[in-house]
Each structure stands twice: as structure tokens, then as C-alpha cells.
């Protein structure tokens, strides 16, 4: 395999928005396996030799991402690393985290690992073990050569391997100490639910009488749905998989296909929660949200949800509270780092501590939305959070 290092200056030419992000310095380690046709890019905000923890899931890029215009593993990893760094930032600002992470937040930075496989090596296909062995070798080389610590967790593209018995994350965890296996979807979904609850309360709409639309009903979305059903909210759901739509309809939830996304948004809804594979809040979708006079709140934890960051200002001008998905999705990274630090310290990992920590997002969602509304939406959600928490 070949190993190419892309320095921050070059990374900023690949993804120009990096230059104006919270931390404009990203190093990319690109590995290629020419005989197999695989490419893995590891983007990190950790300075070489710093021994910092680079947090971000290991994504085996799905076909819908690899086939999207302009896709490269370098660009995808950099863009996702920016989002991870924002999650780290907001967890510091609000003071959210498990007991171990709270003591080591200064050691943590954002990063991401993105692998483009061949069809025969995706998880569940004949060469999936070889693909994961390639990734492990790359992770180990980065730690050895760059002097940083990678921590990777659950992300897209994982599942049951070709042997019919082994989960891909378990395979990684057994062979690489930086791979964690906790189900990050549960705390992430809990964080989604908590911030949504707070934002709606500040908007004068208690969950018990709210109509909430969800786009993306995977593990995270289903946790949110479970919590909403407990509170008696009315739920509408947009989901690509027919079998999941059937499951939701059996629960009494009205469903929509991705092609009906704008139809969903035109419904009389109070909130929209996005947890799909990326790019959900394209400009046309944001404009559809703005056109819905009843819609008050948009949130979620989807990575790369907003392809055009300038469209975010449309929510603010329309008097709608938009909590960036990087803020709403922080509990996943905090779960991964808590498991890693527990293993490092030789103490038990308790996922319930993350569910308890997620409660802080309720108050953050409430206070930021309340401040936005009181100020006539002169501030963005992020500006409101920063003003409140300093």
C-alpha cells in the first residue's frame, strides 16, 4: 500500500470551508491499495507528535456517497473531520460528556476515517476481512508515524461480515485498540431527543401536542421515535427502506419515501429532525422549510446535512431555530471516547453515564431557542449558545 500525507495548506484547497472553520488545520493520511482498488483517507485535527485523541467514526462510504458529484475520500474525510471538531467544540462549551471525557476534553480533537471499497469487499461480501485488515494496518501506521491516537467508532457501512457470524466492529475491536464497539446510536438519539424537547418548549410547543417529522429512521431515528411515542407526539417519517416504512406504518406512523420529502415538509409540522446519510438540507429543502409557516424547529445529528452552509441563514431570517447537527450529534463521539478512556484506564464502561449527560442538551436547546426568539432571531443558534455558556 502507499501512504500519502496531505498538509493543512493543501487540505484547505481541497475543502475551502476548512479555512473558516473552528480549526483550519487538518492533516490527511491517504492510503491506497492499488492491487485491490481501495482508498482510505484519515483526516485529523491532531498535530503530528501531539499524542492527542483523534475522534471520529470509521466510515465505509456507502454507494450514495461514493457516487455523489465530486466525491473523494480526502474531501469526505476532511468535511466530516470539520463536523467532528465542531462536536468537540460544542461539548466543551456546554460542558457535556461522560465522567472520563470531562477530565480529558483538552486532549480530544475531531477526525474521520473514510474508506472507499470495491463492491466485493463491502461488509458482507467475500473480501470484507481483507478490507478491514487493510484499514487496521493503515490505522496502526498513522499512530506509529504521526504520533497521534486514533479512536474510531460506529459509522456507515458496518454490519455482519461474510462469515455470517462476526460483526465488522467486533472484528476491528479485537485487532485494533482504538476501535470501540459501543452502540453510539442510543446516546446520539437521546441527545437528539433532548435538544428537540428543549427547543420545542422554548417555542411554546410541548412535545405532548407537537407534530414532528423525521427524515432518516435508522438506529438513531428509531430511538428518537421511541422517545417521542412515550411523550405522545404525532410522528411523520421519511425513510428510504420499504421494510422500515412497513415497520413504522405498523406502529401507526404515516410514512413518506425520499422522493416525497418536500411533501412531508409541507405538512403541518412543528419540528423537523434529520438523521439520513448526508445532504438532506439542500437549499431547496431549506427553502421548503422556510415556506412552512408552522415549522419552528429543525435539528438532528446527520453528518454533512447542510451542503450549502450559507443556506443556514435562511432559517434565521425566517424566524426558525436551527440547531446545527454537529451540536445535536455530539453524544455519539462522547460515547466512543468514554469507552476508549475506560479501556485505557482499566475501568468498566457505563453507557448510562452518557444518557445522563445528554440531559444537558435539553437545557441548552431551551435556552438558546428562547434567546433567539427574545432577540428577534438577530443571533444564530450557535451565537446564542456561545453567549449563554461563554
Amino acid at each position: 500500500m502507499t501512504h500519502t500525507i496531505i498538509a493543512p495548506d493543501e487540505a484547505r484547497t481541497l475543502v475551502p470551508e476548512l479555512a473558516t472553520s473552528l480549526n483550519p488545520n487538518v492533516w490527511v493520511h491517504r492510503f491506497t491499495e492499488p492491487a485491490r482498488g481501495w482508498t482510505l483517507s484519515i483526516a485529523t485535527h491532531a498535530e503530528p507528535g501531539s499524542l492527542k485523541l483523534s475522534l471520529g467514526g470509521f466510515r465505509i462510504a456507502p454507494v450514495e456517497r461514493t457516487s455523489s458529484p465530486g466525491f473523494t475520500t480526502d474531501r469526505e474525510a476532511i468535511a466530516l473531520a470539520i463536523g467532528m471538531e465542531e462536536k468537540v467544540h460544542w461539548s466543551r462549551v456546554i460542558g457535556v460528556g461522560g465522567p472520563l471525557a470531562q477530565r480529558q476534553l483538552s486532549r480530544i480533537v475531531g477526525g474521520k476515517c473514510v474508506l472507499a471499497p470495491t463492491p466485493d469487499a463491502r461488509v458482507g461480501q467475500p473480501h470484507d476481512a481483507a478490507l478491514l485488515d487493510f484499514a487496521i494496518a493503515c490505522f496502526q501506521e498513522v499512530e506509529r508515524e504521526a504520533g497521534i491516537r486514533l479512536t474510531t467508532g460506529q459509522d456507515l457501512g458496518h454490519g455482519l461480515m461474510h462469515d455470517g457470524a462476526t460483526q465488522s466492529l467486533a472484528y476491528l475491536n479485537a485487532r485494533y485498540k482504538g476501535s470501540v464497539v459501543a452502540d453510539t446510536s442510543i446516546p446520539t438519539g437521546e441527545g437528539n431527543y433532548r435538544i428537540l424537547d428543549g427547543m420545542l418548549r422554548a417555542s411554546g410547543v410541548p412535545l405532548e401536542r407537537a407534530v414532528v417529522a423525521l427524515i432518516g429512521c435508522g438506529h438513531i431515528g428509531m430511538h428518537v421515535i421511541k422517545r417521542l411515542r412515550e411523550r405522545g407526539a404525532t410522528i411523520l417519517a421519511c425513510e428510504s427502506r420499504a421494510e422500515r416504512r412497513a415497520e413504522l406504518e405498523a406502529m401507526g406512523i404515516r410514512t413518506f419515501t425520499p422522493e416525497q420529502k418536500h411533501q412531508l415538509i409541507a405538512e403541518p409540522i412543528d419540528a423537523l429532525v434529520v438523521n439520513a446519510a448526508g445532504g438532506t438540507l439542500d437549499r431547496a429543502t431549506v427553502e421548503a422549510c422556510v415556506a412552512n409557516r408552522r415549522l419552528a424547529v429543525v435539528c438532528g445529528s446527520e453528518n454533512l446535512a447542510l451542503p450549502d452552509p450559507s443556506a443556514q441563514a435562511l432559517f434565521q431570517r425566517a424566524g426558525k431555530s436551527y440547531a446545527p447537527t454537529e451540536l445535536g450529534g455530539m453524544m455519539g463521539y462522547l460515547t466512543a471516547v468514554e469507552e476508549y478512556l475506560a479501556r485505557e484506564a482499566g475501568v468498566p464502561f457505563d453507557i448510562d453515564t452518557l444518557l445522563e449527560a445528554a440531559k444537558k442538551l435539553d437545557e441548552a436547546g431551551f435556552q438558546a431557542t428562547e434567546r433567539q426568539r427574545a432577540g428577534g432571531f438577530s443571533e444564530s443558534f450557535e451565537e446564542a449558545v456561545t453567549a449563554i455558556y461563554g
Side-chain angles (χ1 to χ4, degrees):
M1 66 185 181
T2 61
H3 180 186
T4 303
I5 301 174
I6 298 172
D9 285 347
E10 185 179 350
R12 288 189 286 271
T13 66
L14 292 173
V15 181
E17 56 263 40
L18 175 60
T20 55
S21 69
L22 290 169
N23 182 348
N25 294 317
V26 162
W27 287 261
V28 181
H29 297 262
R30 182 202 305 134
F31 293 87
T32 58
E33 177 49 80
R36 300 276 196 169
W38 304 330
T39 303
L40 170 64
S41 293
I42 301 170
T44 179
H45 284 279
E47 304 91 344
S50 66
L51 296 180
K52 286 184 176 178
L53 286 176
S54 179
L55 261 292
F58 170 31
R59 172 169 295 196
I60 302 173
V63 173
E64 57 263 36
R65 294 303 297 173
T66 58
S67 60
S68 62
F71 174 89
T72 68
T73 54
D74 292 343
R75 290 194 186 97
E76 190 89 343
I78 293 167
L80 289 165
I82 293 171
M84 285 302 306
E85 183 73 354
E86 290 183 11
K87 291 177 184 178
V88 175
H89 168 77
W90 292 120
S91 63
R92 289 193 187 114
V93 169
I94 301 172
V96 179
L100 299 175
Q102 289 266 29
R103 296 196 290 268
Q104 298 204 43
L105 280 176
S106 62
R107 184 187 172 196
I108 301 166
V109 296
K112 201 72 174 187
C113 307
V114 177
L115 175 59
T118 49
D120 63 345
R122 289 191 175 278
V123 171
Q125 299 303 311
H127 299 297
D128 54 4
L131 181 81
L132 297 182
D133 289 340
F134 163 70
I136 291 166
C138 297
F139 295 161
Q140 292 171 337
E141 182 165 327
V142 166
E143 288 207 338
R144 185 172 58 249
E145 299 296 326
I148 63 174
R149 297 290 176 262
L150 291 178
T151 305
T152 68
Q154 190 177 64
D155 209 299
L156 300 178
H158 291 282
L160 188 65
M161 295 179 66
H162 188 253
D163 66 4
T166 309
Q167 290 291 327
S168 58
L169 286 178
Y171 186 95
L172 290 161
N173 179 261
R175 294 161 177 81
Y176 176 63
K177 65 180 182 180
S179 172
V180 296
V181 295
D183 185 351
T184 59
S185 70
I186 296 173
T188 303
E190 186 68 11
N192 271 212
Y193 159 72
R194 293 290 183 179
I195 202 163
L196 171 66
D197 188 11
M199 293 174 76
L200 280 171
R201 282 192 296 111
S203 302
V205 185
L207 266 179
E208 288 76 8
R209 58 181 177 85
V211 180
V212 180
L214 294 95
I215 298 178
C217 301
H219 295 312
I220 295 170
M222 291 303 286
H223 181 87
V224 178
I225 286 171
K226 173 179 177 290
R227 299 293 267 139
L228 293 177
R229 282 165 58 85
E230 290 171 353
R231 295 286 297 277
T234 299
I235 303 166
L236 305 178
C238 178
E239 168 59 38
S240 61
R241 293 167 295 167
E243 63 274 20
R244 179 53 56 89
R245 290 198 302 272
E247 179 184 348
L248 291 166
E249 287 163 4
M251 297 164 62
I253 295 171
R254 187 175 162 205
T255 67
F256 299 75
T257 67
E259 294 73 25
Q260 297 172 312
K261 178 171 71 170
H262 286 193
Q263 180 183 332
L264 167 71
I265 294 170
E267 292 284 329
I269 57 176
D270 299 296
L272 176 66
V273 182
V274 296
N275 280 305
T280 291
L281 296 174
D282 56 81
R283 196 171 188 90
T285 300
V286 173
E287 290 172 350
C289 291
V290 167
N292 186 328
R293 298 182 66 180
R294 176 169 168 173
L295 177 62
V297 166
V298 180
C299 62
S301 66
E302 179 177 324
N303 290 314
L304 304 179
L306 200 66
D308 177 6
S310 69
Q312 181 176 336
L314 299 179
F315 288 122
Q316 193 176 336
R317 288 202 290 271
K320 300 179 187 299
S321 289
Y322 168 68
T325 53
E326 292 78 18
L327 194 156
M330 69 171 71
M331 296 312 304
Y333 112 77
L334 287 166
T335 303
V337 75
E338 195 72 12
E339 181 185 349
Y340 178 90
L341 292 173
R343 289 176 63 185
E344 188 178 64
V347 298
F349 166 64
D350 182 4
I351 199 168
D352 288 341
T353 61
L354 279 304
L355 300 179
E356 183 65 27
K359 292 178 180 179
K360 284 192 176 182
L361 289 176
D362 186 305
E363 187 61 22
F366 178 83
Q367 289 197 42
T369 302
E370 185 179 55
R371 182 182 173 97
Q372 278 192 296
R373 295 175 70 86
F377 286 87
S378 60
E379 294 176 318
S380 68
F381 192 90
E382 300 102 306
E383 289 168 338
V385 170
T386 302
I388 292 164
Y389 290 92

